[in-house]
Amino acid sequence: MKTHLHRVTLAVSSALLVAGCSTGASAQWSNSVGGVWNNPTSSLASTMVYNRLLLDAAKKKTAPEAEGARAPQAQQKSPSVRRLRVSTTFRPVAPSLMVQDLAQGMGKTPAERAQLAEAFGQFLGIFEDQARADKELHDLARAAAFFLVANYAIASGREPTEKQTIAVEEKFRGGLSGSQQLGAMSDREKQKLYETLVIFGSLPVAGRNSAKEKRDAEQQKMFRRLARENIQTLLGVPVEKIHLTDEGLSIAD
């Protein structure tokens, strides 16, 4: 079985420190969200215009479950009226679309923006290197699952199991592949959403682990808060309403 999302989460935890050391400005990462970034949750919200798409995908049953639940008459529909499966992958239109945009929106000074851009680029690089090894490159289902699992782990303090992580990815893949909204998105739109998910999945992990290294309880609390806000922005529900199981995830009404 694949262990990609767990490996990515562990690898990302060191990227923030690497970026800080290379720029000589690692102390800036110890400031509060308000001190370094101009409200990162607002940056996430302004980019993640497809949050309803992802919420619907998270709530939908996977394809095998849905097939089993269909009434007999529904199964006999003509192939011409069946929905076509939508690919969750895309062709990149540029090396990156969101690294500079998010860094510009979140950094207050040129030095902070440069540092953020370097870290965000590393986050994407780590994620894509592992995706290439797992043969799941440029896959929105993978990115959405990583975003949810990484933020959930930081916000709740509960580390999902490997089985749960894989089930979450398959849940997103099943939901997204039946989405007409996803089918209408251009490769550029898909890439922007993908990069946003990866960057905002990585940031709380890297920031929290950096704060743990420094034994900074306030910073750990701040990144837990950021992870909670990320989940609220993506799915529109608090982390307490999300439950991960060996079958994927469920969202309480």
Side-chain angles (χ1 to χ4, degrees):
M1 298 292 286
K2 293 173 291 186
T3 59
H4 51 270
L5 293 179
H6 275 264
R7 291 199 299 266
V8 170
T9 302
L10 290 172
V12 157
S13 68
S14 64
L16 183 70
L17 296 175
V18 171
C21 290
S22 63
T23 60
S26 58
Q28 291 180 0
W29 290 101
S30 296
N31 295 340
S32 66
V33 167
V36 177
W37 307 302
N38 297 327
N39 195 342
T41 304
S42 294
S43 296
L44 174 62
S46 66
T47 305
M48 200 163 288
V49 294
Y50 293 99
N51 63 323
R52 173 53 61 176
L53 162 71
L54 294 167
L55 174 59
D56 289 346
K59 284 188 171 182
K60 282 181 182 177
K61 291 183 178 296
T62 56
E65 291 173 326
E67 289 290 337
R70 286 181 181 175
Q73 59 268 31
Q75 296 180 29
Q76 296 172 5
K77 284 185 179 180
S78 167
S80 62
V81 299
R82 290 177 186 164
R83 287 187 178 182
L84 295 176
R85 302 285 287 176
V86 175
S87 174
T88 61
T89 62
F90 63 92
R91 290 180 178 273
V93 300
S96 69
L97 295 174
M98 297 308 301
V99 167
Q100 292 296 332
D101 280 0
L102 291 176
Q104 289 295 316
M106 293 166 62
K108 285 187 174 181
T109 68
E112 288 174 359
R113 291 171 190 142
Q115 187 189 30
L116 285 165
E118 183 173 355
F120 294 170
Q122 289 190 37
F123 294 163
L124 280 175
I126 291 168
F127 189 85
E128 293 187 343
D129 284 348
Q130 191 60 62
R132 187 174 293 104
D134 291 330
K135 295 182 172 57
E136 287 186 357
L137 200 58
H138 308 132
D139 190 335
L140 270 172
R142 180 188 178 96
F146 171 67
F147 176 97
L148 179 61
V149 167
N151 280 287
Y152 176 87
I154 301 302
S156 69
R158 296 188 292 272
E159 186 72 27
T161 66
E162 180 62 23
K163 190 171 183 179
Q164 290 171 346
T165 299
I166 292 173
V168 168
E169 182 176 349
E170 291 311 308
K171 180 88 168 184
F172 272 113
R173 182 165 288 107
L176 289 171
S177 64
S179 169
Q180 292 180 318
Q181 187 179 6
L182 178 64
M185 288 172 63
S186 67
D187 281 336
R188 175 174 289 274
E189 290 173 316
K190 291 177 182 177
Q191 184 176 348
K192 290 177 72 173
L193 179 57
Y194 170 91
E195 291 185 12
T196 301
L197 289 168
V198 173
I199 290 169
F200 279 95
S202 303
L203 184 56
V205 176
R208 190 284 308 268
N209 288 356
S210 174
K212 283 184 72 174
E213 288 282 333
K214 299 170 184 175
R215 299 184 180 180
D216 189 329
E218 285 302 311
Q219 285 298 301
Q220 292 181 56
K221 187 184 299 183
M222 182 271 288
F223 280 105
R224 283 196 297 271
R225 185 171 69 249
L226 176 59
R228 293 178 64 87
E229 291 172 354
N230 282 348
I231 288 176
Q232 182 78 42
T233 300
L234 176 72
L235 298 180
V237 297
V239 67
E240 288 80 10
K241 289 194 173 185
I242 295 173
H243 303 283
L244 304 189
T245 70
D246 289 351
E247 284 70 48
L249 73 148
S250 61
I251 300 175
D253 294 325

